[in-house]
Amino acid sequence: MKKVLLSCALAGALFGLEIDGFSAPSGSLITDDAFYIANRGRSEDPQERDGFISRIVKNSGVVETNFIDDLVNPGGMAQIADVLYVCDIDTIRGFAKSQEVFNLKIEGAQALNDVVALGSEVLLASDPARGTIWRIDLLSRTADEFARIDPSLGSPNGLLAKGDKLLITTFDLSGKVSGRVLSMDLKSREISIFADMKGVFYGIARGKNGEILISDWGEDLLSGKIWRIDANGQIREINLGAMQRPADISSDGKVLLIPKTLENKVELINLP
């Protein structure tokens, strides 16, 4: 396992801190004790299996670059108890202390992107290429189609559970349809517009004081930004400057972790 000592101390007031040395970082997750970054790798060939997950243990100052390796194209992550679940093309994989303990290939899945936990036994995973959200039962190790998003609303991407609702970001790289921020009732599965905004939306996370944070690739797919939606529905941009393809962001309500896919970097900032 490759480890890199950061030049500045993570134990102190590190944020904002930009860290390089990643490989197409796309997914991220903040847990009680660590920051996780999913790297898609450089190869488009699934036989290469050069995807990996990096870990930064809080207060350590050390980046464990290849904490978990031998992945194909990892994306979004979620944690239940001590198991880290990750989307990997058409498969949900689970790891405990870097050892694989769960592996479920979803028949019909095309390109799983983000995953969110609903309680301790269920995951939901987005599949933008199919326009689908999958429901994964961890006990029976089965998956079925939970919802399909109308193409006029874009393809489902980032997921965030918010009470009895599922918030969904969408995008359309062809530019024919604007991405939206949607809200789905988890019982009726009815979908509505959550915020009056359009873009090329990727990740979604919960910020301070009930705020929702959204990553947006920008119209040219290169001038990315982070939006915040406050509890009153007011939409503002966080002034961070342009970034290249901010992907599946994560936050613990104090710190925001931003994977910048095309820059091969991640950024940690204190939420203003």
Side-chain angles (χ1 to χ4, degrees):
M1 181 189 302
K2 181 181 178 183
K3 296 186 179 182
V4 178
L5 181 65
L6 296 180
S7 59
C8 58
L10 280 174
L14 58 90
F15 313 105
L17 172 68
E18 190 174 69
I19 312 169
D20 59 17
F22 297 94
S23 183
S26 179
S28 72
L29 180 69
I30 301 177
T31 66
D32 290 340
D33 59 358
F35 306 97
Y36 294 92
I37 300 99
N39 299 262
R40 295 196 182 276
R42 295 180 175 83
S43 177
E44 298 291 333
D45 183 357
Q47 301 301 318
E48 291 291 330
R49 302 184 70 87
D50 68 341
F52 58 95
I53 295 174
S54 305
R55 181 177 74 163
I56 306 172
V57 176
K58 291 180 179 178
N59 302 324
S60 73
V62 175
V63 180
E64 299 172 273
T65 307
N66 293 77
F67 177 66
I68 298 169
D69 53 18
D70 196 35
L71 301 173
V72 179
N73 199 346
M77 294 173 285
Q79 186 177 51
I80 299 177
D82 63 345
V83 180
L84 179 70
Y85 294 95
V86 58
C87 296
D88 197 15
I89 302 291
D90 59 357
T91 301
I92 297 291
R93 302 177 67 179
F95 298 86
K97 297 180 180 179
S98 76
Q99 300 300 310
E100 188 166 28
V101 296
F102 185 90
N103 187 303
L104 177 64
K105 182 175 181 179
I106 300 176
E107 295 300 326
Q110 296 183 27
L112 302 176
N113 186 70
D114 199 12
V115 63
V116 65
L118 295 184
S120 62
E121 300 175 358
V122 172
L123 299 172
L124 296 179
S126 62
D127 187 345
R130 186 183 167 97
T132 292
I133 296 173
W134 297 93
R135 181 185 185 277
I136 298 96
D137 187 307
L138 297 174
L139 295 182
S140 65
R141 297 185 177 234
T142 58
D144 54 31
E145 188 174 283
F146 182 75
R148 186 175 286 269
I149 306 301
D150 190 299
S152 67
L153 297 173
S155 298
N157 204 351
L159 304 177
L160 176 67
K162 187 176 185 290
D164 61 355
K165 301 291 193 296
L166 178 70
L167 303 187
I168 308 162
T169 60
T170 74
F171 70 165
D172 176 20
L173 294 184
S174 72
K176 296 178 180 178
V177 176
S178 294
R180 307 301 298 263
V181 183
L182 309 176
S183 175
M184 176 187 292
D185 186 290
L186 287 168
K187 292 183 179 179
S188 68
R189 305 184 195 181
E190 292 183 358
I191 295 174
S192 59
I193 302 296
F194 177 76
D196 186 17
M197 55 193 302
K198 296 181 180 181
V200 185
F201 301 130
Y202 206 97
I204 182 169
R206 185 177 286 103
K208 283 183 175 180
N209 304 318
E211 293 177 334
I212 302 299
L213 307 173
I214 307 288
S215 60
D216 180 358
W217 281 7
E219 291 184 3
D220 62 357
L221 307 183
L222 294 173
S223 302
K225 61 196 74 174
I226 305 295
W227 298 100
R228 68 195 315 168
I229 307 168
D230 69 20
N232 297 316
Q234 184 177 0
I235 303 167
R236 292 175 295 165
E237 180 182 349
I238 299 178
N239 186 19
L240 298 174
M243 56 189 73
Q244 294 185 26
R245 299 198 180 180
D248 277 324
I249 57 176
S250 57
S251 173
D252 59 4
K254 298 178 181 179
V255 173
L256 176 63
L257 175 55
I258 308 170
K260 299 191 240 184
T261 304
L262 291 188
E263 299 178 44
N264 292 320
K265 299 176 181 178
V266 301
E267 186 171 359
L268 284 158
I269 66 162
N270 276 320
L271 285 171

